[in-house]
Amino acid sequence: MHFLSEELENYVARHSQDEPELLAKLNRETHQKILQPRMLSGHFQGRVLSLLSKLIRPTHILEIGTYTGYATLCLAEGLAQNGTIDTLDNNEELYDFQRKYFDLSGFGPQIIQHLGNALDIIPTLTQKYDLVFIDADKENYINYYELIVPMMRQGGIILSDNVLWSGKVLEPVKPNDKSTKILLEYNALLKKDPRVETVLLPIRDGLTVSRVL
């Protein structure tokens, strides 16, 4: 489902900050070489992530779901001096692809890649996070969230991607569609959880911004 017409989406992108050259190259190479390139955040959402990170000026960022590293580099643009990003992914085949672009960006030393199951890795991390971006398997969104909230600084921001799920959140849920069922529960949880204040933005496939109280 497109929430805006293609023409309006193009207008929005043209009137937002330009995509940096390195990210444009990463975007092209992802579409040329990597399966499911639609998973890439892309120009407009990438500029949203960059701007949010610059407003927050996080010292420590946690990203769950690296894919090819596009969103990672957008978030890195707002890092405080000597800040770090822990980025988690379970696809070993993308590890070197990610690292190539991380090192080309100049943020390489600040980006720590973790390979494996995020539910196993998160409890081993020791930082207090200022900014978290959840963009991994939807069936574990609630599990990720419950692990993350105690690790956040007061006032920290949790960003959750794909929360509109191509409009499936408005449709009858099919019996075997666990992802949509979990996303419906997750969206309801964020709305009522007294530990956060939340706004759901209809950006691309839905981006929730939750501030930890």
Side-chain angles (χ1 to χ4, degrees), residues 134-197:
I134 305 174
D135 186 17
D137 56 308
K138 312 313 162 194
E139 294 181 11
N140 275 308
Y141 265 37
I142 293 174
N143 295 327
Y144 296 143
Y145 176 78
E146 294 294 356
L147 285 174
I148 287 164
V149 171
M151 302 171 68
M152 299 293 297
R153 293 190 187 278
Q154 186 176 9
I157 299 296
I158 300 171
L159 303 174
S160 308
D161 199 16
N162 304 117
V163 291
L164 295 179
W165 208 222
S166 299
K168 291 181 182 178
V169 293
L170 297 179
E171 300 170 358
V173 180
K174 297 177 181 178
N176 61 346
D177 187 356
K178 187 174 180 181
S179 293
T180 301
K181 179 178 181 292
I182 293 295
L183 280 173
L184 288 167
E185 294 175 7
Y186 182 69
N187 291 339
L189 170 63
L190 293 185
K191 174 64 167 64
K192 68 182 182 182
D193 190 343
R195 297 174 294 178
V196 298
E197 55 183 351

Side-chain angles (χ1 to χ4, degrees), residues 6-41:
E6 185 176 353
E7 292 82 1
L8 197 52
E9 287 183 346
N10 290 336
Y11 181 89
V12 168
R14 289 197 308 271
H15 290 81
S16 299
Q17 184 189 36
D18 291 340
E19 184 180 40
E21 183 178 345
L22 179 66
L23 289 178
K25 182 178 179 182
L26 170 53
N27 195 334
R28 287 193 299 272
E29 189 171 358
T30 297
H31 278 80
Q32 291 166 355
K33 299 180 180 179
I34 308 298
L35 293 174
Q36 297 180 295
R38 188 175 177 273
M39 291 172 58
L40 190 92
S41 289

Side-chain angles (χ1 to χ4, degrees), residues 62 122-123 125-129 147-153:
L62 172 62
I122 293 170
L125 302 174
T126 58
Q127 302 288 5
K128 280 287 188 178
Y129 291 101
L147 285 174
I148 287 164
V149 171
M151 302 171 68
M152 299 293 297
R153 293 190 187 278

